Amino acid sequence: MNNKINAIRGMNDLLPNDSNLWLSLEKTIFDLLLAYGYKNIRTPIVEKTETFHRAIGKVTDIVEKEMYTWADSNGDLLSLRPENTAGVVRCMIEHNLPREGIQKVFYQGAMFRHERPQKGRYRQFHQIGAEVFGADTAKCDAELIAITHSLWQNLGLKNVQLEINTLGSTEARANYRGILVEYFMQHKDQLDEDSTRRLKTNPLRILDSKNNDMQALIESAPKLMDHLDEASTQHFETFKTYLDCLDIPYVINARLVRGLDYYNRTVFEWTTTDLGAQGTICAGGRYDGLVEQMGGNGCPAVGFALGLERLILLIQTQGLSIGKTTESIYIVALGDAAQLKSIQISRQLHQALPGIILYNDISMGSFKSQFKKANKAGADFAIILGEEEINNNQVSIKPLKGQGEQQTMSLDDAIQYFKG
Ligand code: ATP
Ligand code: MG
């Protein structure tokens, strides 16, 4: 038979050999966010398409090209979430949460974008993100930077750089948009196809173009920074003061406009040169107008999202090991009585030694083949239950990684042995 089914291109399985790294990474991030007072939130993977149209904007790459959208049987247009800020905002409004005071929340999960799959870019990928509702201060923006910066330190990551920019107020940006369009119109013959289209739909995105032929033109374009409103300038100055006070280096990247429409004021990205073109591992910014735009009462907000696949790639590229290694034991048992005893002992060991990894043999093979399996599992110790051990109500402990001699003792003594 040759009719096996494969996964969809750009949507990956997480296999047992890789999953411990994922779990350790996720735990490190969750623990840090919890320590900073953030609470977990979970929203559906599918939302009404309208949710994303209203939040992300119709003339963005995501909505124009990357969303998985279909009509439900009742005709509703639905989409797989391409990001989760829209869903979180929808949830905040629906449950009236900002009315109860400042909300600090984080989410995790799969996002879907129909892009060309390549290293660090997939059609199903995973993010952990944090959002704060109800605080408009630069201090709040800086705390998000402090958290992500601590995370890189906790993971031992090297070669990550913070890029920041400000997009000003909606009015200042609209005003600047006019100035930018005028500039690009004067150089219309130098625009590529994509940019010509964006000139009408989303001119700020032209600044983000990766086309080499357009770099000089973009370099000389008027800068948003020079057309900011007073309050946004002040916000940006305060933000930088907080970063200085935290000793976090940054570069100001005037071309950082982000792909989504909803941002204002602070925007930032953490980037690395170790991952080629997919170098952004974390991105975020302020979106003070979005809650109102989506039908809620006006409420300032700011957040970021981390791309887990890219973080994993970076951890692997830099050869870092994360997460503590737990001792593991393989229980080798021979004979019916020993098999029964082993399942009892296994339960007792799990209770007495929380967190220890126990492989209780289920192959029922010979001693020799069970030891082979113990080694293959990478177990640190074997607990042996043979005829003699059963008769004397004892167990034998055999270190498998050269940590001493085999010893025979009672189960209580064995527990003490492993408690060390
Ligand atoms: P890029 O410019 O790389 O396309 P983006 O601006 O579209 O990124 P965001 O929408 O800001 O990305 O998402 C936040 C983070 O999620 C990114 O910085 C990245 O780490 C990750 N990410 C985004 N798209 C993908 C994808 N298709 N595959 C894997 N990770 C992704
Ligand atoms: Mg993208």
Side-chain angles (χ1 to χ4, degrees):
M1 275 228 298
N2 191 13
N3 59 352
K4 78 182 164 75
I5 299 175
N6 291 331
I8 297 167
R9 204 163 93 87
M11 304 201 180
N12 300 315
D13 298 310
L14 176 58
L15 301 178
N17 269 345
D18 302 323
S19 59
N20 277 356
L21 179 55
W22 276 78
L23 288 174
S24 301
L25 175 63
E26 287 164 347
K27 185 170 175 353
T28 306
I29 303 171
F30 294 158
D31 286 350
L32 186 64
L33 287 165
L34 290 167
Y36 270 90
Y38 287 71
K39 298 260 168 63
N40 191 221
I41 183 174
R42 300 183 188 194
T43 62
I45 287 173
V46 177
E47 298 266 354
K48 290 181 185 152
T49 306
E50 176 73 7
T51 310
F52 304 112
H53 281 184
R54 269 170 71 179
I56 299 169
K58 284 196 180 169
V59 291
T60 53
D61 281 355
I62 291 183
V63 168
E64 280 183 333
K65 305 189 253 187
E66 298 173 359
M67 279 220 295
Y68 286 87
T69 298
W70 69 96
D72 201 9
S73 52
N74 66 359
D76 282 350
L77 269 193
L78 307 180
S79 299
L80 289 177
R81 60 184 185 192
E83 55 95 86
N84 204 32
T85 299
V88 171
V89 170
R90 196 266 312 134
C91 163
M92 285 288 146
I93 297 170
E94 190 165 335
H95 302 280
N96 250 320
L97 295 179
R99 218 206 273 167
E100 295 166 19
I102 290 179
Q103 301 288 318
K104 295 165 69 171
V105 296
F106 70 94
Y107 61 80
Q108 76 283 350
M111 309 295 155
F112 303 84
R113 297 186 194 178
H114 198 278
E115 320 199 51
R116 192 170 68 77
Q118 54 200 290
K119 184 181 160 206
R121 190 175 297 285
Y122 311 98
R123 290 181 173 172
Q124 174 175 328
F125 62 99
H126 299 81
Q127 291 183 335
I128 295 178
E131 318 277 1
V132 183
F133 294 87
D136 65 1
T137 60
K139 180 181 180 184
C140 180
D141 306 1
E143 190 185 78
L144 295 179
I145 304 289
I147 294 172
T148 41
H149 182 255
S150 296
L151 180 61
W152 317 143
Q153 288 192 320
N154 294 355
L155 296 172
L157 287 182
K158 299 174 287 274
N159 193 21
V160 283
Q161 162 167 290
L162 175 62
E163 301 182 24
I164 61 170
N165 191 21
T166 175
L167 300 180
S169 66
T170 315
E171 301 78 53
R173 208 160 61 253
N175 181 32
Y176 168 72
R177 184 189 154 118
I179 296 168
L180 198 63
V181 169
E182 202 173 304
Y183 168 82
F184 282 127
M185 284 296 273
Q186 279 163 12
H187 304 86
K188 222 173 157 195
D189 49 322
Q190 295 174 50
L191 294 179
D192 62 11
E193 201 186 313
D194 236 18
S195 302
T196 308
R197 193 170 46 85
R198 284 188 170 140
L199 192 56
K200 294 206 185 64
T201 57
N202 197 349
L204 262 71
R205 283 285 277 165
I206 299 176
L207 300 176
D208 203 24
S209 165
K210 308 272 183 310
N211 184 347
N212 277 336
D213 298 341
M214 292 198 11
Q215 296 313 308
L217 182 68
I218 291 169
E219 228 23 82
S220 325
K223 303 268 179 299
L224 175 54
M225 201 72 83
D226 301 328
H227 299 272
L228 283 183
D229 54 298
E230 181 53 37
S232 295
T233 307
Q234 190 53 51
H235 187 98
F236 196 51
E237 288 308 313
T238 313
F239 176 57
K240 288 187 290 182
T241 308
Y242 274 104
L243 296 186
D244 292 338
C245 147
L246 285 164
D247 262 333
I248 299 178
Y250 56 83
V251 295
I252 298 175
N253 176 359
R255 294 174 51 178
L256 186 64
V257 293
R258 310 282 305 113
L260 294 73
D261 261 2
Y262 51 61
Y263 289 109
N264 69 305
R265 291 200 174 161
T266 315
V267 287
F268 61 88
E269 288 190 358
W270 285 100
T271 59
T272 176
T273 50
D274 289 354
L275 294 180
Q278 274 60 251
T280 304
I281 51 172
C282 169
R286 185 160 274 290
Y287 48 96
D288 294 330
L290 184 59
V291 176
E292 194 168 2
Q293 187 183 312
M294 291 191 63
N297 295 323
C299 172
V302 60
F304 66 76
L306 304 159
L308 293 183
E309 280 80 2
R310 293 187 193 175
L311 274 175
I312 293 278
L313 280 171
L314 193 56
I315 288 166
Q316 289 168 337
T317 305
Q318 297 188 354
L320 309 171
S321 62
I322 61 168
K324 68 172 172 28
T325 43
T326 316
E327 279 195 334
S328 58
I329 303 170
Y330 196 102
I331 305 182
V332 172
L334 210 63
D336 290 346
Q339 293 298 353
L340 286 174
K341 190 79 183 170
S342 75
I343 206 157
Q344 266 182 349
I345 282 182
S346 164
R347 183 172 63 185
Q348 282 169 293
L349 287 170
H350 276 298
Q351 277 164 358
L353 305 165
I356 198 136
I357 298 172
L358 275 182
Y359 305 97
N360 189 1
D361 181 79
I362 43 174
S363 73
M364 313 283 179
S366 64
F367 260 139
K368 198 172 157 208
S369 97
Q370 290 189 41
F371 272 110
K372 259 196 192 154
K373 291 193 169 59
N375 284 322
K376 194 161 177 224
D380 299 299
F381 297 89
I383 286 185
I384 306 165
L385 294 172
E387 206 178 330
E388 219 179 293
E389 283 87 358
I390 297 299
N391 289 340
N392 298 329
N393 202 20
Q394 287 185 313
V395 300
S396 293
I397 298 175
K398 183 180 163 92
L400 298 176
K401 295 185 175 163
Q403 326 89 307
E405 295 297 306
Q406 179 170 326
Q407 297 176 48
T408 301
M409 61 187 85
S410 70
L411 183 63
D412 283 345
D413 287 346
I415 287 168
Q416 288 316 312
Y417 178 98
F418 288 114
K419 276 191 174 160

